[in-house]
Amino acid sequence: MVAENMTARLAEMALGHGDQNRAAHTDISNPDRDGGRYTDDSGAKMKALAWMGKNDVRVIETSKPKIVDDHDVILKVTGSTVCGSDVHLMHGVVVQVEKGDILGHEFCGVVESVGPSITKLAVGDRVVNSFCISCGECSYCKDKLPTACEKTNASTLHAKLYGGRMGGIFGYSHLTGGYAGGQAEYVRIPLAENNLLKIPDNVPDEKALYLSDVLPTSYHSVVYTGVNEGDTVAIWGLGPIGFMACFWAKKKGATRVIGIDSNWRTEYAKYKIPGLETINYATLESGQTVPTKIHEMVPGGVDVSIDASGGEYAKGWAHKLEMAIGAEQDTSEMINECLYATKKFGRVGIIGDYVGFTNHFNVGALMELGIYLIGCGQAPVQRYWEELLEMVEKGEIDPSIMLTHRFKIDDIAKAYKLQEKREEGLVKCFVETRFSAPRAEGTPELTSL
């Protein structure tokens, strides 16, 4: 992966960095980058979680960021978390991540300072970020599809890999703009009025935080794949996204929802989501597969399948070998299982992370069965923000049903390891900083690692 990152960097240099017509300064993945050009004039320092190499993330001391563009805000972070896709970064699966990059795309906080062009936000406002960065000007952003923004990502390699450049993402490598993330005590927010949502006083950080990614991403997977009232639905992966997708599918009126995983998370999800059925494929009888089990439960297959697991974790030896030697970037096993488990002319949505090419994908099954395969894309957070916040305020959804742990930022590198191994009953955590408010009633106590 070190070689792949070097190759990606050389490719970007050869292709030419596409920073023309960008709406914000990109590739400031750490304030100390480029000789400290982006550090606060006060000389203040902060703690931040940085990628230091494959399987090596550390809490470091670095400089507090400063306002670079007129539309920037400097945010004092009061809460962040660890996402399953952060673990992909730790593993080096995503190219163009560089030593010293500050990670973290989900966070909330208090506005500390604003650029001269900011009129809708003020110092002291409580806000939550969108993981994707919107310019607010291009046709995609105007259509509330900010993950397709054409002005916030300068990576030419991204455009070559996928046939089109997508928008910037906080703390998620230079492939997505090279923005510093929010697993830190301070973070610079470019184009802040497009990418921060004010938090009402009656919503604590422990609930508001998840408007940054998990709630809109899981909701998007269900809406975009077209889960309708009366449908039967199967969802692969019971991490936070798959867990909440199960909740949303039930809320949309699905008559049966089946959650699939290989460990204790099946029992946790069943306990938290009334009426949820589960399959723990680690306990299936010899010769039985997830698709055969689903056809046993739902003869003919489900109406809708959603892959919330992603392509990094191979099950069979062939994919494990091919991925180990670099002959494959993502396993196709879960997508194939979705195809086999879905009824003819049904729908399959992909919301789990996939980064490149796969082998052994059964395109014949896709065609012959008439399956509608839907790449959900990175979720357009701003499309759903207000709707989801209203649900949280009304008590229609309590995001804390997935919240199992609270950690200090000093322990966040260890939390990555727990997330990686799915240990200690960890579904989703809340990471506090020295600026965090006291723990909200009914949320987990602080755990020291």
Side-chain angles (χ1 to χ4, degrees):
M1 182 49 66
V2 173
E4 286 185 18
N5 262 322
M6 180 60 71
T7 301
R9 192 168 189 176
L10 292 173
E12 185 75 22
M13 291 171 64
L15 292 167
H17 205 50
D19 54 2
Q20 302 85 6
N21 199 34
R22 296 307 100 196
H25 277 79
T26 65
D27 298 285
I28 309 175
S29 55
N30 187 317
D32 283 338
R33 188 182 175 91
D34 298 335
R37 291 172 54 196
Y38 309 111
T39 64
D40 188 76
D41 293 339
S42 69
K45 300 292 183 181
M46 69 173 184
K47 294 176 182 177
L49 189 283
W51 190 86
M52 304 302 286
K54 184 177 179 180
N55 295 321
D56 183 6
V57 293
R58 305 176 203 167
V59 176
I60 63 169
E61 183 181 78
T62 189
S63 297
K64 177 183 173 182
K66 72 175 182 180
I67 288 172
V68 177
D69 297 315
D70 288 352
H71 45 61
D72 286 353
V73 153
I74 300 301
L75 193 68
K76 195 159 51 174
V77 177
T78 57
S80 66
T81 186
V82 179
C83 179
S85 60
D86 290 330
V87 176
H88 301 325
L89 283 169
M90 180 177 72
H91 290 165
V93 171
V94 181
V95 296
Q96 286 192 288
V97 58
E98 299 178 7
K99 185 175 181 179
D101 286 357
I102 297 173
L103 306 185
H105 56 272
E106 304 168 82
F107 49 89
C108 60
V110 176
V111 173
E112 190 196 58
S113 58
V114 301
S117 295
I118 297 294
T119 60
K120 298 177 182 177
L121 295 167
V123 172
D125 283 346
R126 290 178 61 232
V127 291
V128 60
N129 81 303
S130 160
F131 78 84
C132 55
I133 300 170
S134 167
C135 73
E137 301 171 353
C138 72
S139 60
Y140 288 103
C141 287
K142 288 178 179 178
D143 286 342
K144 293 292 183 78
L145 293 170
T147 43
C149 179
E150 297 187 318
K151 289 188 166 187
T152 55
N153 183 6
S155 173
T156 304
L157 181 62
H158 193 292
K160 291 294 182 183
L161 282 174
Y162 301 131
R165 185 188 289 118
M166 299 298 284
I169 297 176
F170 286 102
Y172 211 76
S173 89
H174 296 264
L175 188 70
T176 59
Y179 295 92
Q183 290 169 351
E185 293 178 314
Y186 294 94
V187 60
R188 166 188 167 245
I189 310 295
L191 303 151
E193 292 184 342
N194 304 325
N195 299 302
L196 293 175
L197 177 70
K198 290 183 183 179
I199 303 171
D201 291 341
N202 62 339
V203 178
D205 285 355
E206 291 88 344
K207 294 183 180 182
L209 169 62
Y210 305 107
L211 289 161
S212 60
D213 181 0
V214 178
L215 291 183
T217 296
S218 57
Y219 190 65
H220 175 64
S221 73
V222 169
V223 171
Y224 201 64
T225 308
V227 173
N228 299 312
E229 188 171 356
D231 279 344
T232 53
V233 181
I235 297 172
W236 274 251
L238 291 174
I241 301 299
F243 174 90
M244 291 307 305
C246 290
F247 172 88
W248 293 123
K250 295 287 288 184
K251 189 170 177 58
K252 286 289 183 182
T255 54
R256 296 182 70 182
V257 180
I258 304 167
I260 302 150
D261 213 311
S262 63
N263 52 45
W264 56 267
R265 296 197 296 195
T266 55
E267 290 303 312
Y268 180 86
K270 191 159 53 174
Y271 172 72
K272 288 288 186 177
I273 303 174
L276 179 69
E277 302 171 69
T278 60
I279 297 173
N280 182 340
Y281 61 79
T283 65
L284 291 177
E285 296 178 3
S286 178
Q288 196 172 39
T289 65
V290 172
T292 61
K293 181 64 176 176
I294 287 177
H295 279 274
E296 180 184 305
M297 298 169 69
V298 185
V302 293
D303 297 298
V304 177
S305 291
I306 296 175
D307 176 9
S309 60
E312 184 182 356
Y313 302 106
K315 293 170 72 175
W317 65 267
H319 286 280
K320 288 180 180 178
L321 176 61
E322 289 170 353
M323 292 176 75
I325 65 174
E328 179 181 49
Q329 290 169 291
D330 293 299
T331 177
S332 59
E333 291 162 292
M334 298 306 186
I335 300 176
N336 282 338
E337 286 188 1
C338 289
L339 293 176
Y340 304 150
T342 303
K343 75 176 188 180
K344 301 165 194 176
F345 294 93
R347 302 179 297 285
V348 172
I350 304 172
I351 194 64
D353 275 341
Y354 287 81
V355 297
F357 292 95
T358 188
N359 300 330
H360 315 296
F361 171 63
N362 195 340
V363 66
L366 176 68
M367 185 271 164
E368 294 293 346
L369 296 173
I371 301 292
Y372 186 22
L373 182 62
I374 302 158
C376 294
Q378 300 289 348
V381 174
Q382 288 86 336
R383 170 167 285 201
Y384 304 114
W385 250 355
E386 288 83 2
E387 178 185 1
L388 294 173
L389 176 58
E390 184 177 357
M391 288 186 198
V392 172
E393 284 194 275
K394 289 180 176 179
E396 294 178 23
I397 167 64
D398 179 2
S400 67
I401 62 172
M402 63 179 161
L403 179 58
T404 55
H405 290 73
R406 185 185 187 98
F407 304 123
K408 287 184 178 292
I409 192 170
D410 308 72
D411 287 335
I412 193 170
K414 296 175 184 176
Y416 266 68
K417 297 297 183 180
L418 289 182
Q419 188 78 43
E420 175 189 37
K421 297 175 182 177
R422 302 177 177 89
E423 290 182 345
E424 305 292 332
L426 175 60
V427 177
K428 196 67 174 176
C429 66
F430 181 91
V431 178
E432 68 176 35
T433 72
R434 57 188 160 120
F435 304 122
S436 298
R439 178 184 63 88
E441 185 178 354
T443 62
E445 298 277 358
L446 182 68
T447 299
S448 295
L449 297 176

